[in-house]
Amino acid sequence: MDCISEIEIKALWGNYSFEYIFSEAVGASGGILCVWDPCYFSKDHHILSDNFVALYGTWIPKREKVLLISIYAPQSVTSKRILWDYIASLVCRWNGLCMVMGDFNEVRCKEDRLGSVFNVQGANEFNGFVSNSELIEIQLEGFTFTWTHPSFKKMSKLDRFFVNDGMLSSFPHLSAVCLDRHLSDHRPILLREVFTDYGPTPFRFYHAWFRFEGFDQMVFTTWNNIALDDRNVMIRFKKNFNFSKRRFGFG
């Protein structure tokens, strides 16, 4: 779209608690819309291009400066080379958290394409950009390919998230999930922080302890001498384990 209204953005976002900026489409291609919640991100300034939107600002919950770059790369190898050089210069000059994301229209290895020609030069230049910018890719879960041709005979992994060390330090539990495709030929990708609670530390036991003379008898005697007054068998069993862990230094 060469223009977009707040009513249309509200329909996508769900409410009016947002700020936004967009790069207009050129003909039938391009167009980048960035929308954010002003309670979480405060924009200082931005750079607009046909192929990217760069947002400079503050991530409010952590009070840290952040650079967010959303990319829609061109098809031409030469144009992409120019884009990579420019984005790398922005990233290398930035002193803060950084994330580069979007449709890069390029793959990093042969396995990222199915049914189409793999361009070695293009992949090498793309990987060079990632390396020179000192960016780290967030691995995608869910689906291998993010773009599918309408014929389903061609598929590629074109969409990615890259972050710098600072971003990973502030958000160490980042995870990207590739979702089901509906209206677009690209799959939407959800980037989120996933905190996994595996519960208490498992009971740790070394098989080598069985080789110690008298070990079996020690455990047997100690277990039978534990005097716990609890009518619930399972709770009594659990307390026996806890007592044994403290007694022998297990776990």
Side-chain angles (χ1 to χ4, degrees):
M1 302 175 67
D2 56 6
C3 65
I4 188 167
S5 68
E6 289 193 0
I7 296 297
E8 291 166 321
I9 299 174
K10 188 261 182 183
L12 296 171
W13 188 256
N15 56 56
Y16 280 107
S17 180
F18 65 81
E19 294 178 358
Y20 71 98
I21 194 169
F22 70 94
S23 171
E24 300 175 358
V26 180
S29 63
I32 303 171
L33 170 65
C34 296
V35 188
W36 62 90
D37 187 334
C39 293
Y40 288 88
F41 177 73
S42 174
K43 181 175 76 71
D44 295 332
H45 62 280
H46 64 268
I47 300 176
L48 282 182
S49 163
D50 290 342
N51 297 119
F52 73 90
V53 172
L55 295 172
Y56 294 81
T58 303
W59 187 254
I60 296 173
K62 292 182 177 287
R63 298 181 181 179
E64 293 187 275
K65 290 297 182 180
V66 61
L67 168 60
L68 303 173
I69 304 177
S70 183
I71 287 180
Y72 182 34
Q75 295 285 350
S76 164
V77 173
T78 302
S79 298
K80 277 186 281 197
R81 185 184 304 120
I82 296 172
L83 177 62
W84 304 154
D85 289 343
Y86 188 79
I87 296 298
S89 69
L90 296 182
V91 173
C92 292
R93 290 199 305 265
W94 175 248
N95 182 25
L97 312 187
C98 180
M99 177 181 293
V100 183
M101 55 194 163
D103 177 3
F104 293 86
N105 257 319
E106 188 57 86
V107 298
R108 303 191 66 182
C109 62
K110 187 176 182 180
E111 290 72 24
D112 288 343
R113 284 199 187 278
L114 180 66
S116 57
V117 177
F118 172 62
N119 187 314
V120 177
Q121 179 186 352
N124 288 340
E125 292 181 354
F126 184 35
N127 286 320
F129 152 69
V130 175
S131 177
N132 294 335
S133 304
E134 297 184 348
L135 294 173
I136 303 162
E137 182 174 0
I138 302 297
Q139 295 303 311
L140 290 183
E141 303 173 7
F143 295 89
T144 302
F145 303 107
T146 65
W147 171 84
T148 305
H149 189 270
S151 67
F152 291 95
K153 294 181 179 180
K154 298 179 181 179
M155 301 180 185
S156 297
K157 184 178 180 180
L158 304 179
D159 309 89
R160 302 170 188 268
F161 286 89
F162 294 99
V163 296
N164 65 356
D165 283 332
M167 183 69 78
L168 272 188
S169 297
S170 293
F171 301 94
H173 304 287
L174 283 179
S175 173
V177 182
C178 203
L179 306 176
D180 288 334
R181 184 173 65 88
H182 293 290
L183 298 177
S184 173
D185 54 1
H186 287 259
R187 295 184 181 277
I189 302 174
L190 173 64
L191 183 72
R192 59 186 180 177
E193 270 202 296
V194 178
F195 299 92
T196 304
D197 183 5
Y198 293 102
T201 303
F203 189 81
R204 187 169 66 235
F205 193 92
Y206 295 100
H207 288 274
W209 291 344
F210 285 119
R211 294 196 292 268
F212 294 147
E213 185 177 352
F215 178 78
D216 293 3
Q217 185 61 40
M218 179 186 66
V219 174
F220 179 81
T221 302
T222 303
W223 184 275
N224 288 331
N225 287 337
I226 296 175
L228 295 173
D229 184 18
D230 199 310
R231 299 178 60 184
N232 189 308
V233 177
M234 292 306 298
I235 292 179
R236 190 165 66 247
F237 183 72
K238 174 180 177 293
K239 289 181 177 179
N240 275 9
F241 263 116
N242 289 337
F243 181 86
S244 298
K245 288 176 66 175
R246 292 193 300 270
R247 173 66 177 81
F248 303 120
F250 296 164

